[in-house]
Amino acid sequence: MTRLVDLTRPVETGMPTYPGDPDVAVTPHATQEADGYRVSRLELGTHTGTHIDAPAHTERDGATLDSFDAERFRFDARLVDCRGVGANEAIGSEAVPETDAEMLVFRTGWEAEWGTDRMTEHPYLAPETAERCADAGYHVGIDALSPDPTGGNEASDGDADGHGDESGVPAHHALLGAGLLIVENLTNLGAVSERFELLALPLCVDADGAPVRAVARV
């Protein structure tokens, strides 16, 4: 028997966002009372909540989401437990396992800090860790805001918005530059096994990223 485990942050008004990204609002456009039907207006950035990064996010000529077949958003994933790594600390390359999986999902434990003052202090991939993943062809998932230090961290050399030069987002450049994908802000990783299938299908849109309904088949 297999079961589906939801790994997704709900999209809701006022939810936490990456520093400098657009605020999120879900507001009525039409209502049952006034119009006899309901339509909502969504205002959000492409990297809201649990989402996927396309290469176009950081690479000048990188592919956008609509250029990928739907099958590409199904991953044979391997969970990597990194909960022993502290705030603002790098996950070393020794954490990268030898595996035939397509994606490594790094469990930092920082999903528990969602919406707190410590949310931006998450562990991140050391540049050599990201390079090792890229060289092996591993896509990356993480239960934090980013596989790089988030803007404003003392560990980050990038711009304040976190989307700065290559020194600020080396993990993004290594992975997205290799044509790989990144899924961020996963949650509920304690409910999955070490090996699982991850489905993370975004909107088919000419964009650098989009929220996903991330589901594990375990």
Side-chain angles (χ1 to χ4, degrees):
M1 290 285 292
T2 61
R3 61 189 176 91
L4 298 181
V5 177
D6 199 345
L7 308 180
T8 314
R9 294 283 180 189
V11 175
E12 53 194 2
T13 299
M15 69 186 293
T17 60
Y18 192 96
D21 275 9
D23 291 335
V24 178
V26 183
T27 55
H29 175 76
T31 65
Q32 292 285 355
E33 294 77 12
D35 306 288
Y37 61 93
R38 179 177 174 180
V39 173
S40 298
R41 181 192 306 273
L42 300 179
E43 297 180 50
L44 71 170
T46 51
H47 300 266
T48 292
T50 307
H51 67 275
I52 195 163
D53 289 357
H57 180 41
T58 58
E59 308 310 299
R60 186 176 299 276
D61 297 317
T64 53
L65 287 178
D66 59 333
S67 66
F68 291 90
D69 292 336
E71 181 68 26
R72 182 59 282 166
F73 303 113
R74 179 169 66 176
F75 305 94
D76 176 10
R78 164 72 151 80
L79 192 67
V80 181
D81 193 340
C82 299
R83 287 176 292 171
V85 181
N88 290 328
E89 290 183 354
I91 299 168
S93 61
E94 69 280 359
V96 178
E98 293 290 337
T99 178
D100 61 354
E102 298 174 294
M103 170 181 274
L104 298 183
V105 175
F106 292 89
R107 185 185 182 193
T108 69
W110 235 251
E111 66 178 81
E113 303 298 340
W114 180 255
T116 74
D117 291 341
R118 298 184 74 227
M119 183 173 72
T120 61
E121 299 174 5
H122 56 84
Y124 58 93
L125 302 188
E128 59 270 21
T129 308
E131 290 285 357
R132 185 170 176 182
C133 290
D135 289 345
Y138 298 141
H139 305 276
V140 163
I142 195 166
D143 60 350
L145 287 171
S146 173
D148 283 301
T150 289
N153 283 4
E154 58 189 42
S156 177
D157 296 322
D159 296 339
D161 65 0
H163 303 307
D165 61 19
E166 188 162 349
S167 65
V169 287
H172 278 81
H173 282 295
L175 296 162
L176 300 179
L180 299 166
L181 298 167
I182 302 170
V183 180
E184 299 170 345
N185 291 325
L186 291 164
T187 188
N188 201 26
L189 291 179
V192 303
S193 52
E194 183 177 271
R195 193 70 174 263
F196 62 98
E197 184 180 38
L198 175 64
L199 307 174
L201 279 79
L203 297 173
C204 186
V205 59
D206 179 12
D208 46 87
V212 298
R213 187 68 179 260
V215 177
R217 181 180 287 144
V218 299

